[in-house]
Amino acid sequence: MFIKPTVIEFNKIGNPSLGYISVAEVQDNIAFEIKRVYWTYYTPDHVQRGGHAHKNLQQVLVAVSGIIELTLKDTKGIEYFYKLDKPSMGLFIPENYWRTLKFSHNAVLVCLASEIYKEEDYIRDFSKFIK
């Protein structure tokens, strides 16, 4: 089954005087069992991250602070662009999408992942990915 990237709008509970909370829950707005959570921060705004795809891993990415711009490519070379700029928005990335990420200076990315880390799941050569 071929699944495309999908923007997820998490419920935003609260108000401006008290603040907000958003919740990610398996079987509600996350389509997989979460096996790993990680976050990246202090990424200089001139650095491009990513440069890989995954064979099996699925992810939901959330910019809990700052702005993260993502470019995704599928195996047919079709390109998708996303801008994560609010903590109540996530991006579901299925397996087999090449990704590059650009961070604003204050960006913090949280990743909900469907698998534990396995180096053999990574595709780091774009020409092999397209094949």
Side-chain angles (χ1 to χ4, degrees):
M1 181 167 88
F2 186 75
I3 302 173
K4 292 191 175 193
T6 307
V7 172
I8 301 167
E9 290 289 339
F10 296 107
N11 287 336
K12 184 174 152 183
I13 304 161
N15 62 59
S17 63
L18 297 175
Y20 297 94
I21 181 173
S22 292
V23 179
E25 294 180 310
V26 175
Q27 297 181 350
D28 179 19
N29 48 24
I30 305 297
F32 53 82
E33 179 184 352
I34 300 167
K35 294 186 179 173
R36 182 168 57 122
V37 176
Y38 65 88
W39 47 98
T40 61
Y41 49 95
Y42 299 151
T43 303
D45 58 8
H46 66 276
V47 171
Q48 181 174 290
R49 293 189 58 123
H52 64 271
H54 292 281
K55 297 173 188 171
N56 298 303
L57 181 79
Q58 299 177 15
Q59 300 173 309
V60 171
L61 304 182
V62 179
V64 294
S65 178
I67 298 170
I68 301 168
E69 296 176 341
L70 295 100
T71 302
L72 303 178
K73 288 185 184 175
D74 66 19
T75 55
K76 296 176 180 144
I78 298 171
E79 196 168 273
Y80 304 83
F81 178 78
Y82 298 92
K83 185 176 187 178
L84 300 177
D85 58 1
K86 56 186 177 181
S88 60
M89 179 200 321
L91 178 64
F92 168 69
I93 305 175
E95 65 276 2
N96 290 312
Y97 277 84
W98 191 266
R99 80 267 336 264
T100 57
L101 297 88
K102 187 92 170 117
F103 292 72
S104 66
H105 74 282
N106 63 336
V108 178
L109 175 139
V110 170
C111 176
L112 310 176
S114 66
E115 305 294 329
I116 61 170
Y117 174 82
K118 294 179 186 170
E119 179 58 35
E120 61 270 15
D121 185 63
Y122 282 74
I123 304 167
R124 297 186 187 274
D125 182 327
F126 186 73
S127 61
K128 289 181 182 176
F129 167 72
I130 291 298
K131 291 179 183 177

